[in-house]
Amino acid sequence: SVIGMRVLIILADVGTLLFAKKILISLKLPIHKLWWFFLNPFVIIELTGNLHFEGVMIFLMVAALYFLLKSKWLLSAVLIGCAISLKLIPLLLLPLFFWWFVKKQQLFKSFKNLAFYYLAVLLTVILTFIPFVNADLIANFSQTIALWFQKFEFNASIYYIIRWIGYETVGWNIIASVGKILPIIVVAVVAIISLIKTRENIPKLATGMLFAIFVYLLLSTTVHPWYITTPLLLCMFTRYRFPIIWSAVIFLSYSGYGNETYSENLWLVAIEYLIVISVCVFELSRATKASLN
């Protein structure tokens, strides 16, 4: 079983390599950007080594972006739907496709194409879930989502600050209440990103997706190392490089596994996020200056 899963993830990595190369060639971007992902020790350890299926999800997302670039919307929608069925994170990114389809010159046709795309995604998700649907799945699925946001804690950033404030003010861990609010904030931020920026080409779309996931991870109560693979891949199609730095300092979070109680060294967590956020802010300020000039 392990060998079978590993082969599947390796094949997905090869597919990601091929489609990512095609996108970079179409955009006339440097091909060497690929190797920041595919030769990254962190990616090799977490995907092929530790068998995390983010590798397959990433392949489906990159293939979907390629076919979107080639105006093969139905195939792109099916691939996005399959990616959502595998991991829920692409569901968060769907609003960002709004400006790809909606054009002022052909407003009615644009909304029709957008509705067609979203409908195809929805039907794909439903069809891929049908073989597994039963009352237990629905109940357990909702409980798992609630458990994830309201019980688990690992390698968080902003949430740990909120948790500390909770201890100082009310005297206990407020994850049960905060865990209900943070997802709402994430959805609101993604909606704002979707509305204030146009996404009429792959670099702009990938930039929006990158920062949507970054905000999600900053506000999450749990950030496992392999979650970073998605923003790491997306940054290849943008001007931003802070996910590459993150893929290096994410190893600091491994310290939590170094003892029997799985307790984290919060100083190491703080160093990790200070470095990542500082690089992100620097790159954003540089990009802002470049756009003004």
Side-chain angles (χ1 to χ4, degrees):
S1 298
V2 170
I3 292 173
M5 288 189 290
R6 185 157 287 138
V7 168
L8 180 59
I9 292 172
I10 290 172
L11 290 175
D13 283 344
V14 173
T16 303
L17 175 66
L18 295 175
F19 278 109
K21 183 179 179 180
K22 288 177 179 290
I23 293 174
L24 290 173
I25 291 174
S26 297
L27 300 176
K28 297 181 180 179
L29 293 173
I31 304 299
H32 72 261
K33 286 185 173 186
L34 289 169
W35 308 118
W36 286 109
F37 183 87
F38 293 100
L39 295 183
N40 194 312
F42 157 72
V43 173
I44 296 170
I45 290 170
E46 288 296 347
L47 299 186
T48 309
N50 292 341
L51 299 178
H52 292 298
F53 269 66
E54 266 72 9
V56 181
M57 182 268 287
I58 285 171
F59 159 68
L60 294 169
M61 282 184 58
V62 171
L65 288 177
Y66 172 75
F67 289 114
L68 189 68
L69 179 64
K70 297 301 180 181
S71 297
K72 297 181 179 180
W73 298 341
L74 179 59
L75 188 52
S76 173
V78 170
L79 290 167
I80 286 288
C82 291
I84 293 171
S85 296
L86 192 62
K87 299 283 182 178
L88 288 179
I89 190 66
L91 183 63
L92 180 69
L93 306 176
L94 282 182
L96 297 165
F97 290 87
F98 180 85
W99 289 113
W100 183 278
F101 290 95
V102 176
K103 313 294 182 185
K104 291 182 179 179
Q105 294 82 0
Q106 298 175 314
L107 201 57
F108 176 76
K109 182 179 179 182
S110 297
F111 275 105
K112 185 177 70 173
N113 291 337
L114 179 67
F116 170 78
Y117 190 85
Y118 284 162
L119 181 61
V121 171
L122 177 62
L123 289 175
T124 302
V125 173
I126 292 173
L127 289 173
T128 50
F129 262 94
I130 282 177
F132 310 101
V133 170
N134 55 51
D136 290 337
L137 173 69
I138 296 172
N140 293 334
F141 190 80
S142 59
Q143 290 175 7
T144 300
I145 296 297
L147 182 69
W148 190 255
F149 284 102
Q150 299 176 36
K151 294 290 184 181
F152 294 160
E153 300 173 325
F154 181 78
N155 192 37
S157 55
I158 293 175
Y159 163 71
Y160 279 169
I161 297 173
I162 296 173
R163 185 182 68 177
W164 175 79
I165 294 172
Y167 277 122
E168 292 296 313
T169 54
V170 299
W172 62 79
N173 192 336
I174 58 175
I175 185 173
S177 55
V178 172
K180 297 176 182 178
I181 298 171
L182 290 178
I184 298 173
I185 297 174
V186 170
V187 171
V189 171
V190 172
I192 293 171
I193 292 174
S194 303
L195 293 175
I196 64 175
K197 289 284 186 179
T198 56
R199 310 289 169 208
E200 71 277 4
N201 57 50
I202 291 297
K204 290 183 178 180
L205 178 61
T207 299
M209 296 169 75
L210 170 61
F211 280 98
I213 293 177
F214 186 49
V215 169
Y216 163 73
L217 294 175
L218 287 181
L219 294 175
S220 292
T221 60
T222 305
V223 181
H224 287 303
W226 56 90
Y227 294 1
I228 312 304
T229 52
T230 303
L232 179 61
L233 180 93
L234 288 171
C235 82
M236 289 195 306
F237 309 121
T238 74
R239 66 173 73 186
Y240 299 98
R241 299 291 173 268
F242 66 89
I244 297 174
I245 304 299
W246 204 352
S247 72
V249 298
I250 194 67
F251 288 108
L252 294 173
S253 70
Y254 284 33
S255 64
Y257 303 114
N259 51 74
E260 294 181 357
T261 59
Y262 298 101
S263 59
E264 295 180 83
N265 185 327
L266 295 184
W267 286 108
L268 293 179
V269 174
I271 291 171
E272 172 195 344
Y273 281 101
L274 281 173
I275 292 173
V276 172
I277 293 173
S278 297
V279 175
C280 178
V281 170
F282 169 75
E283 290 193 309
L284 281 171
S285 63
R286 186 174 61 180
T288 301
K289 290 179 181 177
S291 63
L292 291 175
N293 294 334

